[in-house]
Amino acid sequence: MKKLSVFAAAAAMSLAFTACGGDSSSSNVEREEDSSSSVEESSSSVAEESSSSAKEEKGDLPKGARVATLEDLEKNYSLPLFGTDLYLATGSKLGVFSLWIPDTAWVAFRSDFKDGVLEFSEEGKNGSFLGADFAVADSLQKLFKKGATIKLIVNSEDQLQYSLNGSKYADLKTAKVKISENVISDGSKLNGLTLECKQEKSTVKYSFYEGRYVAESGDEWEAGYYDIQRSKLLMLPTFIEKESYLPLVTMTVGTDYTMDDATGGQQTCKSSSNKYEAINHEKIAGEWVADKDGYDWTLTLKDSGKYSVDSKKGNTTVLNNSGVWDVYGNVLLIKNTACSEPEKCLTGIKGVVSGFDAKKGFNLDHSNTEEPSMPTVWTMPQYE
């Protein structure tokens, strides 16, 4: 059975409650939003429009238009779909985006917004769907399973427009979302903070970086992307020590840094400054070597985000793993997708980088418990 992490369990009741119909305490806020742009559309019309002659030929932009950038985006937009108003949220533009059906369902996903394009799909594993058992939520879930592409442009009249799955461009209108003075609504306000939260008999520590987080509880940890949208903290786990049930964690964070779920569960947190010397992604990318206990190690961190590590004893390869990597502040994160010994291989490895010198090497205080265990000192390889 997959193990549910301690910090993910903190939000499990919140997710279950949302799936049963949402938090009624927020319904008044949601319904007071500007829905003047509501247009009746059936879920079937999305597929029809996507395959219609209204598609932009060969992906060309309309005359005088340009690709939208993050600077063009507001926090919330109204998106008429499935016979109701969906809401597209961009939050603090930290790389997490979401589509909401108030009180019913939402999709949260990670995107670099390259070329003004937002893409999400269940198969692509770059997002998560949560929703209640209603027809409109079912339509959104089907869209998530199939995958969708939303392209944003600014037309010749300086109007932000969108195209869903290649449909004809339409105006994207801003929406107003009420906020509470007691709740943090701007995700960037968590950057550089560590929240140490008490949860029943355990303690969870959340460290926030620029659009990224690391959560730790005892020997368990996970890391990923975060933002606060519509006053909800959204956390999308990407690097996980062990498999977890939850692909999305969501809570409300008070200005006193308490964390609440939809059922009234609460974590009391103490905040402190998350001080670290940030490691440059491009500078640590490359090939690093180490010698430990008679094993020769090579760690390759590619600019593309791919990684590999191998260990040899003489001419015999003892370990060969590969996957993806990233660095959050001074924390190096690795996710294994292929291992020479799968039954012994951890899903993820987390290490704190110190003493980094791009021309010499670095120390890595890591969580790896495999045998042979990864070295803690890595150096620049020497060449003839």
Side-chain angles (χ1 to χ4, degrees), residues 93-295:
K93 305 175 187 178
L94 299 176
V96 174
F97 298 82
S98 56
L99 283 175
W100 300 72
I101 302 174
D103 301 328
T104 306
W106 69 90
V107 170
F109 56 96
R110 161 71 180 166
S111 175
D112 291 324
F113 197 51
K114 184 179 179 181
D115 299 324
V117 173
L118 298 173
E119 291 183 288
F120 60 87
S121 71
E122 185 175 57
E123 184 177 346
K125 298 180 179 180
N126 69 323
S128 177
F129 167 86
L130 291 171
D133 188 17
F134 295 116
V136 67
D138 185 57
S139 297
L140 180 59
Q141 185 173 23
K142 287 179 179 178
L143 184 68
F144 174 60
K145 286 184 176 181
K146 185 177 180 180
T149 299
I150 302 174
K151 186 169 184 178
L152 302 182
I153 65 169
V154 178
N155 69 11
S156 58
E157 298 177 355
D158 207 31
Q159 170 65 48
L160 186 67
Q161 295 187 314
Y162 76 98
S163 168
L164 174 63
N165 289 341
S167 63
K168 184 178 180 180
Y169 284 102
D171 291 351
L172 192 59
K173 298 185 178 181
T174 58
K176 296 179 180 178
V177 178
K178 284 186 177 180
I179 59 176
S180 168
E181 62 180 11
N182 299 318
V183 173
I184 296 177
S185 59
D186 182 353
S188 64
K189 290 185 177 180
L190 294 180
N191 289 344
L193 288 181
T194 292
L195 301 183
E196 193 166 329
C197 308
K198 290 185 177 181
Q199 172 193 311
E200 296 180 350
K201 296 181 180 180
S202 62
T203 299
V204 185
K205 184 173 74 172
Y206 301 91
S207 298
F208 295 96
Y209 305 88
E210 186 72 27
R212 295 162 169 81
Y213 77 94
V214 176
E216 302 167 274
S217 180
D219 294 331
E220 296 183 3
W221 63 270
E222 72 180 34
Y225 302 99
Y226 89 91
D227 196 5
I228 293 179
Q229 296 172 5
R230 303 177 70 86
S231 296
K232 297 293 184 182
L233 172 62
L234 304 177
M235 293 186 284
L236 287 165
T238 302
F239 297 91
I240 305 171
E241 178 203 19
K242 300 176 182 177
E243 291 182 286
S244 168
Y245 282 122
L246 302 181
L248 172 66
V249 179
T250 177
M251 288 180 282
T252 300
V253 184
T255 52
D256 59 354
Y257 300 114
T258 56
M259 290 188 175
D260 297 310
D261 63 41
T263 62
Q266 187 178 88
Q267 298 181 60
T268 302
C269 308
K270 292 183 179 180
S271 67
S272 61
S273 177
N274 180 16
K275 296 181 180 180
Y276 59 89
E277 184 175 344
I279 303 300
N280 184 287
H281 189 281
E282 294 180 357
K283 289 184 178 180
I284 199 172
E287 188 174 82
W288 305 93
V289 296
D291 183 357
K292 179 185 177 185
D293 300 330
Y295 294 91

